[in-house]
Amino acid sequence: MTQQSLTIMIGADTYPPDVNGAAQFGYRLATAMHHRGHQVHVLAANPNERKNYTRTVNGVVEHRLISHKALTHPTIRICTPWGIWKRVGEILDDVKPDVVHVQCHYIVGRVLLLQARKRGIRVIATNHFMPENLDPFLPFPRWFNDAFAKLSWKDMRFVLERAQVVTTPTPIAARAMKEAGNFKKPVIPISNGINSDDYQLREGEHFDPHPQELRIFFAGRLAVEKNIDVLIEALSLLPQELNHTVLELAGEGEKHAELQEKAQECGVADRVRFLGYVSDEQLREGYLRADVFCQPGTAELQSLVTLEAMSASRPVVLANALALPHLVQEGENGYLFEPNNAADLAQKLAQVLLAPEEERRRMGQCSRQMVETHSAQKTWETFESLYLSNQIYYDFVVSQKK
């Protein structure tokens, strides 16, 4: 822990009770910094109504901002720049943070960054999004979405490059921001981090073997970009000797009803278990009882749930898209499959599930070893250093020139 206690303000366009990787990271960052002795404030949308309020949750001060329902999504709420501009300025003047850490360039992050810069406050910016992530929420023709993505890249660069330091969770995301986003300022890849010990069996803990079935586990929003329909179809394509395999889906989302229909159409409704929203402990248990974890999503900048499954020593089968290939050593801890190809996914799942139990255990141990490089402790220490100075940034720039 740093010797200096800081007042940190985190700006998040998505934050719990939202359920997604960026929201979870914002919460983990805030609570970790609080536990490390800092005063932490969070700016985020009011999840329920058009009203500003402030409350303290587990030592973190939450400033919830007036928000509105998104027209293209049943649960997401958004703020407007004109609706929160004055309030964000008032909060900054009252709190007087040493550093601001924004998690996005869209609304809350944009307004907080610009207001902080006006006051000469140090700003760190972390990008968790690719413009293409918005496609499922833009009910427009392909040409419009492509044009919007280009505009979003330009807008992201305009906003985030005003920060002293820009980070993103993975090297592949940093490369995309440089190549597709035309970022001039170096973008530092810093893992979202994971407390891997949280997902291991505790002393005296065990899970009863389940010889009558094998289990595939997925955790995340039941959303279009997760491609869970492909996973359900793949389940139906597994060879006959794996017809005792079940698929557990932990999470809720707008595609729930459609996915239930998909399971019926594929003839596997009796083998697909919709667990709904699960607690952190239930999620941990889901990883530990699984024989393989699958992430078929194609919009993952890191995939925290995959890191959690790997921490639980599970083999993984992941889509060969964005950051997911960095989490697979082919044949060692799992396999990659061609995105949206149910037949290829079924083949890769079968390779894991038909392997002897000892082989799956070995693959899981490899996952566990790989995830050690994503230590949360290292992540929090890195951000603490960035809050205080640009030294890590300068070191990174020098390393890129070698």
Side-chain angles (χ1 to χ4, degrees):
M1 178 177 135
T2 181
Q3 297 298 311
Q4 181 178 346
S5 178
L6 302 171
T7 299
I8 302 166
M9 183 168 289
I10 297 170
D13 279 77
T14 181
Y15 194 79
D18 295 349
V19 180
N20 59 67
Q24 184 66 10
F25 174 77
Y27 174 78
R28 291 172 58 241
L29 174 68
T31 54
M33 290 302 156
H34 167 68
H35 291 145
R36 294 172 76 86
H38 303 293
Q39 300 295 318
V40 183
H41 296 253
V42 172
L43 264 67
N46 183 326
N48 300 310
E49 56 185 330
R50 301 180 185 180
K51 178 182 177 181
N52 295 314
Y53 70 85
T54 297
R55 65 176 184 175
T56 299
V57 180
N58 297 326
V60 174
V61 182
E62 293 184 4
H63 304 273
R64 293 291 186 160
L65 304 169
I66 184 171
S67 68
H68 310 267
K69 289 183 178 180
L71 296 178
T72 58
H73 195 276
T75 60
I76 288 178
R77 295 187 68 89
I78 59 174
C79 301
T80 61
W82 53 88
I84 67 172
W85 180 267
K86 180 180 178 181
R87 177 60 181 156
V88 170
E90 291 172 346
I91 294 170
L92 282 171
D93 291 337
D94 180 51
V95 174
K96 296 181 174 58
D98 298 298
V99 62
V100 159
H101 188 171
V102 300
Q103 306 299 310
C104 182
H105 76 285
Y106 284 114
I107 307 297
V108 176
R110 172 193 303 268
V111 171
L112 179 56
L113 187 153
L114 296 177
Q115 287 280 41
R117 289 284 291 177
K118 283 179 61 177
R119 291 161 173 79
I121 300 170
R122 180 173 177 78
V123 179
I124 308 299
T126 295
N127 177 47
H128 297 277
F129 299 97
M130 293 290 105
E132 291 78 6
N133 294 160
L134 290 177
D135 278 4
F137 311 117
L138 298 176
F140 305 114
R142 179 75 259 165
W143 66 265
F144 179 92
N145 288 0
D146 289 342
F148 185 83
K150 291 181 179 179
L151 182 63
S152 292
W153 276 119
K154 183 177 180 180
D155 184 54
M156 181 196 297
R157 183 176 69 251
F158 170 78
V159 176
L160 295 189
E161 287 201 326
R162 293 169 181 257
Q164 273 78 11
V165 177
V166 182
T167 81
T168 196
T170 61
I172 195 169
R175 186 162 59 250
M177 292 170 70
K178 179 180 180 180
E179 296 174 356
N182 198 29
F183 269 65
K184 302 299 187 292
K185 176 173 288 192
V187 178
I188 306 177
I190 301 175
S191 174
N192 285 338
I194 186 78
N195 293 314
S196 57
D197 288 344
D198 292 348
Y199 300 92
Q200 288 291 291
L201 286 172
R202 299 163 185 149
E203 185 176 354
E205 183 181 31
H206 70 280
F207 282 82
D208 293 331
H210 40 89
Q212 302 307 314
E213 64 182 27
L214 294 170
R215 295 171 181 171
I216 304 167
F217 190 65
F218 166 88
R221 290 181 301 111
L222 306 187
V224 62
E225 72 272 18
K226 300 298 183 181
N227 302 318
I228 306 165
D229 57 330
V230 178
L231 178 52
I232 291 173
E233 184 175 349
L235 177 69
S236 72
L237 297 176
L238 290 176
Q240 183 68 25
E241 58 265 44
L242 290 175
N243 63 5
H244 60 305
T245 302
V246 300
L247 169 61
E248 294 188 333
L249 302 173
E252 275 292 354
E254 62 273 14
K255 292 295 180 179
H256 189 149
E258 291 182 30
L259 293 173
Q260 286 180 315
E261 292 179 8
K262 179 71 174 181
Q264 290 282 356
E265 292 171 5
C266 292
V268 291
D270 60 328
R271 294 196 283 138
V272 179
R273 299 171 183 169
F274 291 86
L275 306 183
Y277 174 81
V278 297
S279 66
D280 289 344
E281 182 58 27
Q282 290 170 324
L283 181 60
R284 174 183 172 276
E285 292 173 358
Y287 296 134
L288 289 170
R289 67 173 172 259
D291 294 286
V292 62
F293 177 82
C294 183
Q295 173 54 275
T298 51
E300 305 297 317
L301 278 190
Q302 183 163 61
S303 185
L304 182 61
V305 291
T306 301
L307 291 179
E308 291 171 347
M310 292 170 68
S311 297
S313 301
R314 300 301 100 178
V316 297
V317 175
L318 312 177
N320 190 7
L322 278 184
L324 294 178
H326 290 273
L327 301 178
V328 172
Q329 291 181 3
E330 196 76 9
E332 295 298 317
N333 77 312
Y335 299 95
L336 295 171
F337 73 94
E338 181 183 352
N340 297 305
N341 186 330
D344 190 38
L345 174 53
Q347 180 185 353
K348 301 300 169 54
L349 287 170
Q351 284 183 261
V352 176
L353 295 170
L354 289 173
E357 185 175 347
E358 183 58 34
E359 174 65 7
R360 289 200 299 272
R361 187 177 297 111
R362 184 201 62 76
M363 296 175 78
Q365 290 170 348
C366 181
S367 284
R368 169 72 177 178
Q369 292 168 0
M370 290 176 62
V371 87
E372 291 299 332
T373 61
H374 296 274
S375 162
Q377 177 77 8
K378 181 179 179 181
T379 296
W380 310 144
E381 289 175 354
T382 301
F383 278 120
E384 274 184 333
S385 296
L386 288 174
Y387 293 160
L388 290 166
S389 78
N390 280 350
Q391 188 58 53
I392 290 178
Y393 171 77
Y394 295 143
D395 292 344
F396 175 76
V397 172
V398 170
S399 71
Q400 296 302 293
K401 292 181 179 178
K402 290 182 179 179

